[in-house]
């Protein structure tokens, strides 16, 4: 079973038009669906007709402030909240975190930190909804994460092999497909034995570094199959 976790749909509640527009542009460039409003009233109106998984919420809003919005909406248990605010007041931070906020970022917002916070909050949410024995392939860090949370760095070829297998976990990949995955110098690998040797080394490496057996099995006369639940992210 392959689980591809989609990005959350984001709603930004920020009365600074320039900041809101900049955040929307940057988030959309990074593959997020996002929409924005400038006040609580507009947020409530839009939530009636638009989807949001996570709300990026400024506390210092005109009219009904962000703390009131947070206290009201968290009772629905429908949304995740990430606070973006200029307030350095610890009582505001304590209130936000006690009332359902998952993260609290102080302006000026560093976009890399915002992306990391969004991803961390979303992944923590999704983990609670996933089966326990999940293998994860980190496409950014090029590493394999076992269900016991141990991690193993991968070579380029190891990553390419696991990317193909884990993207179609539960379904066998034929030998020809596997050789195509390991494209080298504009020519596919012609010798399947080289893949078998690499897989043997990868299995040994997994046992040592992950302390778990790699769930890849040989399908006679066909190829290979990744037999466990997998997430590619």
């Amino acid at each position: 079973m392959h689980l591809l976790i989609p990005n959350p749909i984001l709603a930004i509640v920020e009365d600074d038009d320039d900041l809101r527009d900049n955040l929307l542009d940057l988030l959309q460039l990074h593959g997020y669906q996002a929409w924005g409003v400038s006040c609580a009233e507009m947020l409530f109106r839009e939530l009636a007709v638009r989807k949001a998984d996570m709300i990026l919420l400024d506390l210092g809003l005109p009219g009904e402030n962000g703390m009131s919005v947070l206290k009201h909406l968290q009772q629905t248990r429908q949304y995740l909240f990430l606070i973006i605010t200029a307030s350095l007041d610890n009582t505001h931070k304590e209130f936000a975190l006690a009332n359902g906020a998952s993260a609290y970022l102080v302006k000026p917002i560093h976009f890399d930190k915002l992306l990391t916070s969004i991803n961390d909050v979303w992944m923590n949410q999704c983990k609670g909804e996933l089966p326990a024995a999940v293998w994860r392939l980190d496409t950014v860090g090029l590493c394999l994460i076992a269900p016991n949370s141990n991690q193993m760095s991968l070579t380029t070829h190891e990553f390419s092999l696991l990317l193909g297998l884990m993207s179609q976990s539960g379904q066998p990949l034929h030998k020809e497909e596997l050789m195509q995955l390991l494209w080298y110098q504009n020519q596919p690998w012609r010798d399947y034995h080289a893949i078998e040797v690499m897989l043997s080394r990868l299995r040994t490496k997994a046992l040592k570094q992950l302390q778990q057996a790699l769930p890849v099995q040989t399908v006679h006369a066909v190829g290979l199959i990744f037999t466990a639940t997998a997430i590619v992210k």
Side-chain angles (χ1 to χ4, degrees):
M1 179 182 180
H2 170 232
L3 300 176
L4 181 61
I5 298 179
N7 285 332
I9 298 174
L10 305 173
I12 302 175
V13 192
E14 169 60 61
D15 62 317
D16 183 323
D17 294 341
D18 289 338
L19 176 57
R20 186 179 65 252
D21 289 344
N22 286 338
L23 289 176
L24 285 171
D25 288 343
L26 288 168
L27 289 168
Q28 289 165 359
L29 282 172
H30 282 76
Y32 289 92
Q33 294 183 58
W35 52 271
V37 294
S38 61
C39 65
E41 181 183 359
M42 292 178 66
L43 173 66
F44 296 141
R45 187 165 62 241
E46 289 299 311
L47 286 176
V49 295
R50 302 180 75 170
K51 179 175 172 56
D53 299 303
M54 187 184 304
I55 298 175
L56 279 57
L57 179 63
D58 184 16
L59 294 183
L61 297 172
E64 185 174 354
N65 64 37
M67 289 187 286
S68 175
V69 173
L70 175 63
K71 191 171 183 179
H72 173 72
L73 285 180
Q74 66 87 22
Q75 297 176 20
T76 70
R77 300 186 180 277
Q78 290 181 266
Y79 311 104
L80 297 168
F81 296 92
L82 195 156
I83 303 301
I84 49 174
T85 180
S87 175
L88 297 171
D89 190 332
N90 278 335
T91 60
H92 290 171
K93 182 176 182 179
E94 291 169 3
F95 177 92
L97 295 177
N99 283 274
S102 299
Y104 190 97
L105 299 181
V106 177
K107 299 173 184 176
I109 300 297
H110 296 284
F111 189 67
D112 288 344
K113 186 174 182 180
L114 176 63
L115 283 179
T116 299
S117 297
I118 291 171
N119 185 66
D120 288 347
V121 169
W122 187 238
M123 289 303 294
N124 286 337
Q125 170 72 13
C126 292
K127 282 178 184 177
E129 302 172 357
L130 295 173
V134 175
W135 289 75
R136 295 175 172 82
L137 185 65
D138 183 343
T139 59
V140 177
L142 298 188
C143 67
L144 179 66
I145 306 170
N148 61 11
S149 297
N150 289 338
Q151 299 186 20
M152 178 175 75
S153 296
L154 301 169
T155 67
T156 302
H157 284 149
E158 289 170 345
F159 174 80
S160 297
L161 177 62
L162 288 176
L163 178 61
L165 290 169
M166 294 175 71
S167 294
Q168 299 187 47
S169 60
Q171 302 176 36
L173 281 185
H174 290 260
K175 294 179 180 181
E176 294 77 12
E177 295 176 291
L178 291 164
M179 288 189 286
Q180 285 293 120
L181 286 174
L182 297 168
W183 197 274
Y184 181 69
Q185 290 184 349
N186 297 321
Q187 292 295 324
W189 284 25
R190 299 298 183 187
D191 184 3
Y192 185 71
H193 177 66
I195 294 177
E196 294 176 318
V197 171
M198 182 173 64
L199 178 59
S200 176
R201 292 174 179 169
L202 192 56
R203 284 173 169 152
T204 301
K205 182 178 173 181
L207 284 172
K208 289 180 179 179
Q209 297 187 24
L210 301 178
Q211 299 179 344
Q212 287 195 238
L214 190 68
V216 176
Q217 294 183 3
T218 298
V219 181
H220 180 66
V222 177
L224 301 173
I225 184 172
F226 195 91
T227 58
T229 301
I231 293 174
V232 178
K233 180 68 173 177

